[in-house]
Amino acid sequence: MGTNKVIVTGGLGYIGSHTAVELSEKFQVVIVDDLSNSSIEVLDGISKISNSTPIFEKLDLKIKKDVKKLFDKHNDAIGLIHFAAFKAVGESVEKPLNYYENNLSSLIYILQEIDNRNLLLNLIFSSSCTVYGQAESLPITEEESIKKAESPYGNTKQISEEILFDYARTNPKINITSLRYFNPIGAHHSTNIGELPLGIPGNLVPFITQTAAGIHEKLTVFGNDYNTPDGTCVRDYIHVMDLAKAHIIALEHLIQKRNQDNYSVYNIGTGKGSSVLEVIECFVKNTRVKLNYVIGKRRVGDIESAYADNTKAKEELKWTPKYSLDDAILSAWKWEKKVRNI
Ligand code: NAD
Ligand code: WQD
């Protein structure tokens, strides 16, 4: 008690690094990462922005001994944000066991350590709008029914939420919030950190910025025959710094015990849907850079439309996104140019 230490698992990853920057304004940050999908240079980027270097522990959370080591050293933490997970939907179909092993065992080991040590912890879990699949009604509220997951990755998020719900019922000392992110995009305005996809990106915005940077010949729009205004899929793209901020607000909400139950779920999205063609137009309008694209076939497993009803987060957490799609796309392009020396 008495410290302001917060553990950030997966803190060198895309969302974790941006959250670590925001957190470091108020908390002492301990980053845990095994570098399986990130690089140690990200720590320098975080340090440059925040004028302080977070504590870094290179540990693999799917190894029980490593999780024990973490809490041996940092059992005085008041909060933990659990970002660490594998997140590639397609890869999860190819290698389901790796996804179940990493995403579920890391969570279970963390909860076991908290339980064994009787720690009074506030925990935030990275969930995803993927838990909804194609929702019955739009915008999507937290009341939307959870259907069978489309991928092993999505299933790990559904199961993780169930694990957290069941565990919270047994331990009144723990306070847990799952944040269901919609589509995070963009980068910190300093361009010291951003999204660094390994290999060919599956996500739309990094594919756009890489194509504009000349890395790919063209972008393929996956289908224009959906039942949407322009026929292309609709998503809720949220600036990663708005998402980062949501974590700090949700954590403070838990620390100050302002939550009614010890397990809650919130949608974190802008509430606004944008189609693939609108995102492309937004990119071209803001950057004045030409983007070569063609209309192709639908991508298997794609959801037609998904955007958030974010009323619950706005009302209960008093969180409101402040960046527009233009801001987010411009920041993604600024970051791409920096990475490619353009
Ligand atoms: P990311 O891959 O950039 O970051 C995850 C980090 O966790 C990486 O640095 C990786 O090295 C680390 N990691 C993975 N397994 C680990 C382990 N066993 N031990 C220690 N570290 C480990 O991913 P991200 O986009 O920043 O996503 C963060 C979280 O948010 C994930 O849980 C993801 O499923 C969830 N999420 C992401 C999105 C998105 O579109 N990016 C959307 C919804 C939810
Ligand atoms: C957005 C839109 C594509 C690439 C994924 C995960 C989901 C969640 C968020 C973690 C879609 C279209 C894309 C391209 C395209 N992650 N597109 N050409 O599909 O909403 O979700 O990230 O939890 O689980 O599945 O995001 O960025 O892949 O695609 O036309 O080259 O762009 O069809 O409509 P998606 P995305």
Side-chain angles (χ1 to χ4, degrees):
M1 289 294 285
T3 75
N4 67 345
K5 192 185 269 186
V6 175
I7 298 170
V8 182
T9 77
L12 295 186
Y14 174 42
I15 307 168
S17 57
H18 289 81
T19 305
V21 163
E22 283 291 293
L23 265 179
S24 64
E25 286 180 15
K26 295 186 180 168
F27 297 96
Q28 184 187 11
V29 178
V30 177
I31 290 180
V32 185
D33 208 298
D34 66 352
L35 305 177
S36 57
N37 197 34
S38 52
S39 77
I40 191 67
E41 285 76 47
V42 177
L43 194 60
D44 300 333
I46 296 170
S47 308
K48 249 191 214 158
I49 303 170
S50 34
N51 282 323
S52 65
T53 305
I55 299 170
F56 176 62
E57 305 288 354
K58 184 174 182 299
L59 296 169
D60 181 346
L61 299 163
K62 66 177 175 298
I63 298 175
K64 203 170 185 160
K65 267 200 323 234
D66 277 20
V67 181
K68 197 173 167 302
K69 259 191 233 163
L70 170 68
F71 284 97
D72 282 344
K73 222 164 151 183
H74 301 291
N75 71 350
D76 55 344
I78 55 164
L80 184 147
I81 308 184
H82 186 42
F83 291 103
F86 293 157
K87 64 160 180 179
V89 177
E91 188 186 53
S92 81
V93 176
E94 306 293 320
K95 300 175 179 167
L97 299 181
N98 289 3
Y99 274 68
Y100 287 116
E101 179 192 34
N102 193 43
N103 295 6
L104 299 181
S105 59
S106 59
L107 177 67
I108 293 170
Y109 296 157
I110 288 169
L111 293 176
Q112 282 176 334
E113 284 303 320
I114 292 171
D115 198 60
N116 292 342
R117 294 165 195 257
N118 208 10
L119 299 180
L120 193 99
L121 255 184
N122 301 293
L123 194 110
I124 310 271
F125 174 70
S126 296
S127 191
S128 168
C129 65
T130 192
V131 300
Y132 298 118
Q134 181 56 66
E136 305 285 328
S137 57
L138 292 165
I140 305 172
T141 72
E142 291 83 354
E143 306 303 314
E144 176 70 33
S145 65
I146 305 289
K147 291 171 288 295
K148 183 172 167 30
E150 301 268 344
S151 68
Y153 165 73
N155 204 20
T156 69
K157 293 298 172 191
Q158 292 186 357
I159 298 171
S160 295
E161 286 198 12
E162 288 177 352
I163 291 172
L164 290 165
F165 176 85
D166 290 341
Y167 177 63
R169 287 208 300 196
T170 72
N171 179 0
K173 280 174 73 180
I174 196 160
N175 269 322
I176 308 177
T177 293
S178 286
L179 300 180
R180 292 178 178 158
Y181 317 154
F182 280 67
N183 293 57
I185 59 164
H188 190 269
H189 63 83
S190 68
T191 67
N192 286 313
I193 54 172
E195 188 171 12
L196 274 174
L198 291 176
I200 298 173
N203 292 113
L204 178 63
V205 172
F207 204 97
I208 289 178
T209 55
Q210 287 193 7
T211 305
I215 294 156
H216 311 290
E217 186 206 333
K218 59 177 187 289
L219 164 79
T220 302
V221 174
F222 297 144
N224 68 349
D225 58 350
Y226 286 96
N227 187 20
T228 59
D230 65 21
T232 65
C233 293
V234 170
R235 296 288 185 274
D236 185 336
Y237 298 93
I238 176 165
H239 196 303
V240 69
M241 292 311 296
D242 273 331
L243 177 57
K245 190 81 186 177
H247 290 81
I248 284 77
I249 294 176
L251 182 65
E252 287 178 325
H253 192 85
L254 291 182
I255 292 170
Q256 293 158 11
K257 305 211 178 312
R258 282 187 277 139
N259 48 324
Q260 283 193 336
D261 301 312
N262 72 335
Y263 179 71
S264 324
V265 174
Y266 295 95
N267 284 342
I268 303 295
T270 64
K272 187 176 169 289
S274 305
S275 73
V276 178
L277 290 179
E278 282 171 335
V279 174
I280 295 172
E281 269 166 37
C282 177
F283 177 85
V284 174
K285 179 189 79 187
N286 281 288
T287 63
R288 301 186 179 281
V289 174
K290 196 178 146 288
L291 186 76
N292 191 16
Y293 72 89
V294 292
I295 306 291
K297 281 199 226 128
R298 290 184 177 199
R299 180 170 71 178
V300 178
D302 257 343
I303 301 298
E304 186 167 270
S305 282
Y307 51 96
D309 181 327
N310 58 12
T311 311
K312 191 178 176 201
K314 276 184 172 161
E315 287 184 354
E316 292 184 20
L317 301 177
K318 315 280 181 238
W319 166 83
T320 315
K322 65 175 195 195
Y323 294 106
S324 64
L325 184 66
D326 301 87
D327 298 331
I329 297 273
L330 261 177
S331 73
W333 178 234
K334 234 174 117 184
W335 165 249
E336 188 73 55
K337 285 197 293 185
K338 151 100 183 266
V339 173
R340 311 288 165 196
N341 292 316
I342 298 175

